[in-house]
């Protein structure tokens, strides 16, 4: 690691306080991430504290930690198991109402040393808790970890940024986008900037379009309370997909220090706009995913028709700079689709002239960066077997190792070691809202029709992104 990168880091923090100990995020994603980190020896001397609103949650905090850490210990060596057992033995739970004046401040005052406070709470509760903390003296070195959604508009994100800025310096605020902790997502930088082959062609002279697709075959998974108020555009595109787009489109940073990388991300987002007229939205109707019957979205428990929520969204982002002018970046995400498809697809322009005499048509070169499973695929035309002059499509494919720490482990590693590289900077959080807000407003005003697709299909048939032929064209 370069000296500059090291200089941007801060001291290691030994106490992690998770607010929202009994919540879904903590149980499913955060604690497994903490466990991986401990088992890998990257959270030495950690004190883990849980806090929540309930005096006696259905599964106690100790039971929860033991269950998750026990599962993590199964794949671990002896030192990893010992480290997990040590943290599980010393963990503690505190019941409190973070929206009651003084309660969170009193808990913080009772802890020794600086603390990383993870707000795994409903967004409005986190906001209120932070507002109340402005009246308290936070211990020096306190770090704040904020979950998504960060605000609900550019204005509310700005307001939340102002509240947080009154508490701690920007470098101590970690706005979580766990996609940045996914190894393949971050490896976009390695792929682009550690290989001479790609970067000279990485611009509007050679690239036709970029698609960033996150189609899920999952449905609501009991999260209607959140999803029905968010929808696909806010839930996925406003945050995760714009971050991926920024990594695909940014200029080469001088270092992997947080300032260089996050400046690069912010610069490209500042040049980005999404025209509402080019957006599309749709909602799933009853269908089948595999053998599983899926009801119409509006018949799902917890869904209210008046929210008029989309379950599939697509926007076309334009980046007004020298490198990308004229190249559409198509961002799409949705639920209840027939196939899980999570990838960035870079489509190159056709060759200027295909020598006369080749049989068959040339197809554009495509680079697929898969985000789960983690893969790299390059689709090329070659003279394959058989007729010497006939073009055949081949796919060069590499499977990449999965995330060893899990995305939340990587993010927490940054939190505990004081490196905000993998978290979203305040200005970027506001920029992402600014990009999608005109589309959200147009949708709210009914200017873009709500289309439909049967659950288990690939989306509305006339959307070009619903018809990914790249796999079938390959012979
Ligand atoms: P849950 O509703 O499952 O959990 C909320 C937690 O907050 C509970 O532990 C609850 O404690 C606690 N809580 C609520 N009000 C108070 C209060 N006044 N004082 C103290 N504790 C309180 O939410 P999730 O875990 O699903 O989500 C948490 C955050 O993470 C949200 O911002 C969400 O958007 C974000 N997120 C969640 C994801 C997920 O998959 N779940 C994915 C990505 C982000 P108790 O029940 O004991 O009162």
């Amino acid at each position: 690691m370069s000296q500059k990168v090291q200089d941007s880091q801060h001291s290691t923090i030994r106490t992690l306080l998770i607010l929202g100990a009994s919540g879904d995020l903590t149980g499913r994603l955060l604690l497994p991430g903490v466990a991986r980190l401990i088992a890998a020896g990257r959270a030495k001397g950690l004190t883990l504290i849980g806090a929540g609103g309930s005096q006696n949650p259905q599964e106690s905090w100790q039971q929860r930690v033991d269950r998750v850490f026990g599962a993590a210990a199964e794949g671990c060596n002896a030192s990893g198991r010992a480290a997990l057992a040590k943290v599980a033995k010393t963990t503690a739970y505190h019941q409190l109402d973070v929206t009651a004046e003084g309660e969170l401040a009193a808990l913080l005052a009772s802890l020794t040393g600086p603390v990383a406070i993870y707000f795994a709470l409903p967004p409005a509760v986190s906001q209120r808790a932070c507002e109340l903390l402005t009246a308290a003296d936070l211990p020096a070195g306190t770090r704040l970890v904020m979950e998504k959604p960060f605000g609900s508009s550019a204005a509310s994100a700005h307001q939340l940024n102002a509240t947080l800025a009154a508490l701690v310096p920007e470098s101590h605020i970690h706005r979580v986008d766990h996609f940045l902790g996914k190894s393949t997502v971050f490896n976009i930088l390695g792929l682009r900037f550690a290989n001479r082959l790609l970067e000279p062609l990485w611009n509007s002279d050679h690239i036709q379009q970029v698609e960033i697709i996150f189609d899920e075959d999952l449905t609501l998974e009991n999260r209607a309370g959140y999803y029905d108020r968010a929808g696909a555009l806010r839930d996925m595109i406003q945050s995760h997909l714009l971050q991926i787009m920024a990594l695909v489109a940014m200029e080469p940073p001088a270092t992997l220090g947080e300032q260089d990388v996050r400046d690069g991300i912010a610069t490209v987002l500042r040049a980005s706009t999404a025209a509402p007229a080019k957006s599309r939205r749709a909602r799933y109707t009853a269908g089948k995913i595999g053998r599983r019957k899926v009801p119409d979205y509006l018949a799902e428990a917890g869904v209210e028709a008046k929210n008029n929520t989309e379950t599939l969204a697509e926007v076309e982002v334009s980046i007004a700079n020298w490198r990308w002018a004229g190249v559409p970046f198509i961002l799409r995400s949705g639920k209840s689709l027939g196939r899980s498809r999570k990838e960035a697809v870079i489509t190159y322009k056709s060759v200027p002239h295909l020598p006369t005499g080749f049989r068959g048509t040339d197809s554009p070169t495509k680079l697929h960066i898969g985000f789960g499973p983690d893969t790299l695929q390059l689709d090329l035309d070659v003279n394959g077997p058989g007729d010497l002059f006939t073009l055949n499509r081949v796919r060069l494919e590499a499977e990449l190792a999965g995330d060893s720490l899990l995305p939340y482990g990587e993010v927490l590693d940054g939190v505990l070691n004081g490196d905000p590289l993998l978290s979203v900077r305040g200005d970027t959080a506001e920029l992402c809202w600014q990009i999608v807000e005109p589309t959200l407003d147009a949708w709210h005003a009914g200017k873009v029709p709500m289309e439909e697709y049967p659950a288990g299909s690939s989306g509305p048939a006339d959307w070009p992104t619903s018809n990914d032929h790249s796999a079938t064209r390959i012979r």
Side-chain angles (χ1 to χ4, degrees):
M1 197 178 285
S2 77
Q3 189 58 43
K4 274 193 178 167
V5 175
Q6 282 183 357
D7 286 348
S8 74
Q9 295 185 334
H10 303 83
S11 59
T12 299
I13 237 170
R14 309 263 179 228
T15 306
L16 174 63
L17 167 62
I18 299 181
L19 304 174
S22 60
D24 177 65
L25 176 80
T26 301
R28 263 186 333 107
L29 299 168
L30 263 185
L31 280 180
V34 175
R36 286 283 184 105
L37 205 54
I38 295 167
R42 283 162 70 173
K44 290 205 166 71
L46 181 73
T47 300
L48 176 65
I49 300 167
S54 314
Q55 186 67 51
N56 297 305
Q58 206 176 11
E59 179 184 40
S60 77
W61 173 248
Q62 188 66 56
Q63 285 167 338
R64 205 165 221 215
V65 171
D66 289 344
R67 175 174 59 76
V68 175
F69 282 22
E74 281 172 20
C76 258
N77 59 21
S79 71
R81 285 197 296 277
L84 284 165
K86 195 171 167 195
V87 176
K89 202 170 162 197
T90 54
T91 194
Y93 178 78
H94 295 266
Q95 185 273 326
L96 85 174
D97 178 357
V98 298
T99 63
E101 221 159 297
E103 288 202 14
L104 178 54
L107 171 59
L108 292 171
S110 73
L111 303 174
T112 40
V115 177
I117 311 170
Y118 201 118
F119 291 84
L121 300 166
V125 177
S126 297
Q127 182 161 347
R128 182 67 192 133
C130 290
E131 284 162 9
L132 287 175
L133 282 181
T134 55
D137 268 339
L138 286 184
T142 301
R143 289 177 200 152
L144 307 178
V145 193
M146 309 304 295
E147 257 303 331
K148 77 160 205 186
F150 189 84
S152 54
S153 62
S156 60
H158 184 73
Q159 178 59 44
L160 186 51
N161 273 334
T163 304
L164 298 180
L167 297 173
V168 297
E170 173 64 30
S171 60
H172 289 207
I173 302 168
H174 296 256
R175 296 170 195 80
V176 175
D177 186 322
H178 69 277
F179 271 44
L180 293 176
K182 282 179 184 278
S183 52
T184 347
V185 169
F186 211 72
N187 189 37
I188 290 170
L189 298 187
L191 179 71
R192 286 188 56 197
F193 303 132
N195 296 289
R196 188 85 194 215
L197 181 71
L198 296 174
E199 199 52 24
L201 307 185
W202 206 260
N203 55 52
S204 61
D205 288 344
H206 300 281
I207 289 178
Q208 182 74 38
Q209 69 167 21
V210 177
E211 293 159 289
I212 297 170
I213 310 276
F214 205 88
D215 280 0
E216 296 181 276
D217 54 4
L218 297 174
T219 58
L220 282 178
E221 313 297 313
N222 298 322
R223 297 197 69 222
Y226 159 72
Y227 193 84
D228 194 45
R229 271 175 283 127
L233 180 54
R234 284 191 185 84
D235 182 43
M236 293 299 302
I237 294 178
Q238 183 273 336
S239 48
H240 308 309
L241 299 200
L242 280 173
Q243 291 296 322
I244 296 176
M245 187 200 81
L247 294 176
V248 170
M250 70 187 279
E251 295 304 314
T255 72
L256 286 189
E258 62 87 7
Q259 185 168 0
D260 285 344
V261 173
R262 300 201 305 172
D263 279 353
I265 289 174
T267 301
V268 83
L269 290 173
R270 261 198 303 279
S272 301
T273 50
K278 289 188 176 168
S279 69
R280 306 204 57 176
R281 58 175 173 159
R283 187 158 58 212
Y284 67 81
T285 55
K288 260 182 153 184
I289 304 178
R291 289 193 182 157
R292 193 160 42 114
K293 274 191 175 171
V294 178
D296 187 291
Y297 177 74
L298 295 178
E300 296 266 21
V303 166
E304 293 185 45
K306 72 171 170 42
N307 290 338
N308 203 24
T309 301
E310 81 287 354
T311 58
L312 178 65
E314 182 175 303
V315 297
E316 184 179 312
V317 178
S318 307
I319 304 176
N321 63 18
W322 196 300
R323 186 191 281 262
W324 292 118
V327 179
F329 281 72
I330 297 162
L331 277 48
R332 155 182 164 134
S333 181
K335 286 195 181 293
S336 291
L337 291 148
R339 181 163 79 94
S340 164
R341 183 176 166 222
K342 301 170 181 174
E343 59 178 359
V345 186
I346 320 297
T347 302
Y348 287 82
K349 290 184 172 169
S350 296
V351 292
H353 171 69
L354 185 69
T356 312
F358 272 123
R359 282 191 269 279
T361 47
D362 63 322
S363 310
T365 303
K366 286 192 179 196
L367 175 66
H368 300 249
I369 305 169
F371 306 123
D374 291 355
T375 51
L376 273 182
Q377 297 161 345
L378 185 62
D379 297 344
L380 298 167
D381 281 345
V382 295
N383 299 32
D387 185 302
L388 274 185
F389 301 100
T390 298
L391 291 172
N392 289 284
R393 194 76 162 152
V394 292
R395 174 169 282 183
L396 307 181
E397 184 162 6
E399 282 196 19
L400 309 175
D403 299 296
S404 64
L405 281 188
L406 302 175
Y408 273 89
E410 293 287 357
V411 166
L412 284 163
D413 195 27
V415 169
L416 295 176
N417 292 308
D419 186 355
L421 172 66
L422 297 185
S423 64
V424 176
R425 205 167 64 187
D427 55 343
T428 302
E430 293 178 33
L431 282 167
C432 288
W433 281 115
Q434 284 165 17
I435 293 166
V436 300
E437 252 170 17
T439 302
L440 286 168
D441 291 346
W443 290 8
H444 188 64
K447 291 182 184 163
V448 177
M450 180 72 81
E451 302 174 58
E452 291 185 338
Y453 61 100
S457 70
S458 57
D462 69 327
W463 292 22
T465 46
S466 297
N467 299 298
D468 168 37
H469 298 304
S470 58
T472 52
R473 272 210 313 275
I474 291 164
R475 293 182 289 273

